[in-house]
Structures are given as C-alpha cells and as structure tokens.
Amino acid sequence: MAEPDEPRFAPGVREQYQRGETVGADARQRLLERIRRAPRPRRRGGWLEWVPGAGGLTPLRASLITAGLLALVGGALVSRAVGPSLTVPSPAAPSAAAGTSQSMVRFELAAPGAAAVALVGDFNDWDPRATPMRRTETSATWSVSLPVARGRHVYGFLVDGRHWVPDPSAPLAPEEDFGSASSVILVAGVGSS
Amino acid sequence: MRRLVALAATFVCLVPASARGADPRLATRLDAETAAQVQHLVDAAQSQGLPTEPLISKALEGAAKRAPVERILSAVRAQSAALGDARAALGDSSSASEIVAGAGALLAGVARDSLVRLRATRPGQALVVPLVVLADLVTRKVPTEAAASAVLTASRAGAHDADLLRMRERIERDIAAGALPANAAMLRARGLMPTGAAPGAGKRSAVRATGTGPP
C-alpha cells in the first residue's frame, strides 16, 4: 500500500542520501591507526578451513584432503569386506567319508579387504594359528578344507587376527559366552544307526 | 639327601595338584594362574566322572577370544554344570558322548525334562544323534518345546539316527524356504510316522503329550 505523502517527501530523502557523509582527513587517519593497532583476528580452527574456498587451498591442504578421502574410502571398503552382511555364504557341506569318523568340510568366507583369515573352532582347539585360510583365485573369498569329526561343532573366523566373524551361511551358536558370536555346524553321520 | 627329599616333599605339598598336572594346552594358552584355576575345575569334573574335554575347549575358546579371566572361569563352570545336569537327566550309565551332546542341548536352551523323556523313549539306545539334532533345531530357531516334541515324536515313531538326520536336513531346507521353524519341525516329524499313523491315529497321543500337537 502506497503512502499518500510519498511524492512530497521522496525528493528530500533522495537528496539527503545522495549528498553522502564527508569525513575529515584527521578522522580517517585516526580510524586507520586504530585498525593497524587492533589485534589480528584468530583463524577459525573448524573443519571449514579444510574446504577449498573457505580458507584457501594450499598444496599441503590438498594432500591432506586427498589422504583423508582415501582413508575414508579405504575404511569403508574394509568394513564392508569383513562385515557379515556382505559375506558370501559358504557351502560348508560336509562330504561324508564312509567308514570314518571324520568328514571333509570346506569353509569359506568372503573378506576381500582382509590380509589374513583363520578358521578357529573347537575342532582345532580354538587355536588361531592352526588353520589359516587361503585366498581363492577371485581374491575375494577365503577358504579351507579340513577333516572334522562328526558331531556338532562351534567355530568362527578370525579376520586379520582381531575381528571375530561368524559364518554367514551357518546358524549362530546359542551360547555366546565371550561376547563374540560363533557359528554351529553339524557334521552329519554322528554314530548313525 | 634328607634335606633334598624334604624340599621336594614341601614343593609337592605347596604346589596345587591342578598346577602340577595342568593340561599342556591350558598351560600354553592361558596365564599360569588362570590355567591352574581352570585345571582345578577340570579335575573336579573328572573326579565326578564327567567328560572334561568340553571344559578345556571352553577355556581355550575364551583364551582365543581374549576374554577376561572371570568370564572364562564362569563359562567353564557353566559348561561343567551342564554336563552334570545332562548326566543326571540321561542316567548314570550314559556314555561320555551322550553327556556332551546332552550338555550341548541344555546350553542351547532345551529343558532338562526333554532329555529325561528322550531317554525313556529310546531305552538302551544311543542318544547322541537325537540330542545333537535337538540342539541343532534349537540353533535354527525352532522353539525348544517344538524341537523337543519333533525329536520325541520321531523317536516314538521308531525313527533311526539316519532318519533323524534326514529330518533335520529337511527342516533346515523348509526354514530356508520360508517355513516357520516350529511348523517345519512338526510337519517333518509327522512325516516320519508310519503310514496310517496320521493325527487322529495311535501316534497322536505322543504328539499331544508334548503340548504342541493338533487340537
């Protein structure tokens, strides 16, 4: 809605703004002197400083940003590799040897980012050094075959000597005494009648 | 010479028996004190005539998973108690394999009474396979009552070990195909009944007795 008196006042206001403010030479000098003496403002230490455009992109910053991005991508790949959700189910199918009390069982785990994987369970006295697994041709799956006595066995995979991973293709052991889940395999032929 | 003998005798008296005869696996994988404590539990179980290998295996599992000492000892005690319970339920004449399988079933959540009934169902026969199948079904999320009922029903129907193992495989397949674990177990157990012994016939009472049979 327009003010009724606007045409009357507009020229005066315009003239006032157009005239500008004159600053004396001594006043300008005082102002510049105060600016010189004032302490320099501290730079922000926030993450924005590392963003190009927010604080400038030096070669050092560029390399650090690159290294950080590589670490993030690498970390994501490793966590995906050892996570049970992305592992390929292993057949873990025992091939029963007739007349023997053991069956050959093949264990598999997909862990493309792992440097070492070991099969550890009650059949090898839970010894992490007893049954190292081998990387297959695809370089994504680790496997090992070994004779296992017929019966119910509890086991898991030890990835890079630190991470316990249950077999995604086998049921979890109901008893979890030590905080990390294990898997159960039933090697058929237990004293079958 | 007398001094030497006295010294040796003193040493023998001071060092606990468990530490003297510790299982080499325990000695190499656990610190000396923990190994001695586990060995003490192992010796106690042995003196009761219980199998000891599951206790050593449990301690080694704890060592591999770098569990705290108390947790290892607690797990070994629980295993030992389960072995004792299993023998009590299955009877003193049970074999070591049966006791170990029974303990596995108990630790999986199976009721002690189910072990008693299973022994009564198959007197004089080895129970290793039924017990292992029972524990495996529970592991596959079949409710404990339904799992016990399935194994008991199949056993009463005269199923042999091979039949039970086949039944387990089929239940596993049904569950993988989307069937409810309890339903899969019951249907496959009924499948082992002789022809003509469908629900409503003589075998029905066995199903009813477990409380999970048809109305």
Side-chain angles (χ1 to χ4, degrees):
Chain A
M1 191 166 75
E3 290 288 336
D5 292 336
E6 185 182 343
R8 217 155 26 100
F9 287 104
V13 173
R14 193 182 306 120
E15 186 185 348
Q16 188 71 24
Y17 275 105
Q18 283 174 345
R19 197 187 313 145
E21 191 67 36
T22 54
V23 180
D26 57 334
R28 181 177 293 177
Q29 191 61 35
R30 281 201 307 273
L31 178 64
L32 289 173
E33 189 61 30
R34 284 185 68 180
I35 292 171
R36 271 196 292 271
R37 287 181 184 172
R40 295 183 68 179
R42 297 186 66 177
R43 306 188 70 163
R44 281 187 306 176
W47 61 273
L48 268 176
E49 281 205 68
W50 297 99
V51 178
L57 185 64
T58 64
L60 173 65
R61 282 180 189 169
S63 6
L64 287 171
I65 288 169
T66 309
L69 286 172
L70 284 174
L72 280 174
V73 172
L77 285 175
V78 166
S79 65
R80 283 165 68 93
V82 299
S85 58
L86 284 187
T87 46
V88 172
S90 67
S95 56
T100 66
S101 60
Q102 293 187 325
S103 296
M104 285 301 291
V105 183
R106 181 179 171 86
F107 296 87
E108 285 185 358
L109 178 75
V117 180
L119 171 68
V120 191
D122 57 13
F123 39 74
N124 63 8
D125 279 340
W126 295 96
D127 186 351
R129 292 168 303 179
T131 317
M133 298 176 79
R134 286 186 183 173
R135 204 191 284 264
T136 53
E137 289 171 4
T138 60
S139 295
T141 305
W142 298 74
S143 70
V144 69
S145 295
L146 76 162
V148 179
R150 291 170 178 178
R152 179 181 181 268
H153 297 282
V154 182
Y155 67 98
F157 300 111
L158 186 59
V159 177
D160 290 339
R162 291 195 308 271
H163 308 290
W164 284 94
V165 180
D167 190 338
S169 71
L172 292 177
E175 61 270 27
E176 190 184 309
D177 297 313
F178 303 114
S180 53
S182 299
S183 302
V184 176
I185 184 173
L186 180 61
V187 180
V190 244
S192 319
S193 62
Chain B
M1 184 64 185
R2 276 184 187 172
R3 278 184 186 174
L4 198 62
V5 171
L7 195 65
T10 309
F11 176 78
V12 167
C13 291
L14 288 177
V15 177
S18 53
R20 288 197 307 270
D23 186 288
R25 291 170 296 173
L26 295 176
T28 54
R29 304 270 297 280
L30 296 165
D31 64 80
E33 191 179 339
T34 309
Q37 286 177 291
V38 172
Q39 188 63 48
H40 181 71
L41 296 171
V42 170
D43 291 343
Q46 194 165 32
S47 68
Q48 296 169 43
L50 293 171
T52 57
E53 194 56 31
L55 307 183
I56 294 169
S57 180
K58 185 55 71 178
L60 295 177
E61 179 187 356
K65 293 182 175 177
R66 296 175 186 173
V69 174
E70 271 314 311
R71 206 157 179 181
I72 293 176
L73 294 174
S74 167
V76 173
R77 284 192 198 101
Q79 183 77 45
S80 183
L83 289 165
D85 286 348
R87 187 180 57 184
L90 296 170
D92 288 340
S93 58
S94 306
S95 69
S97 300
E98 286 177 323
I99 294 170
V100 172
L106 291 175
L107 288 169
V110 173
R112 185 179 178 276
D113 182 53
S114 298
L115 271 60
V116 175
R117 283 189 286 165
L118 196 55
R119 172 59 83 201
T121 305
R122 296 179 63 159
Q125 291 182 55
L127 290 182
V128 177
V129 170
L131 290 166
V132 166
V133 167
L134 181 51
D136 189 74
L137 293 181
V138 174
T139 302
R140 292 178 190 281
K141 307 292 182 200
V142 177
T144 51
E145 267 304 307
S149 176
V151 173
L152 282 165
T153 301
S155 297
R156 284 173 185 145
H160 295 283
D161 287 352
D163 301 322
L164 289 171
L165 289 169
R166 239 189 326 270
M167 178 187 81
R168 185 207 69 84
E169 281 175 19
R170 286 169 181 164
I171 293 170
E172 178 187 351
R173 233 176 15 234
D174 291 349
I175 293 171
L180 283 176
N183 293 349
M186 192 46 62
L187 288 171
R188 289 299 180 181
R190 282 182 193 156
L192 288 176
M193 289 178 173
T195 313
K203 293 290 177 187
R204 186 179 172 185
S205 58
V207 179
R208 265 188 174 168
T210 62
T212 53

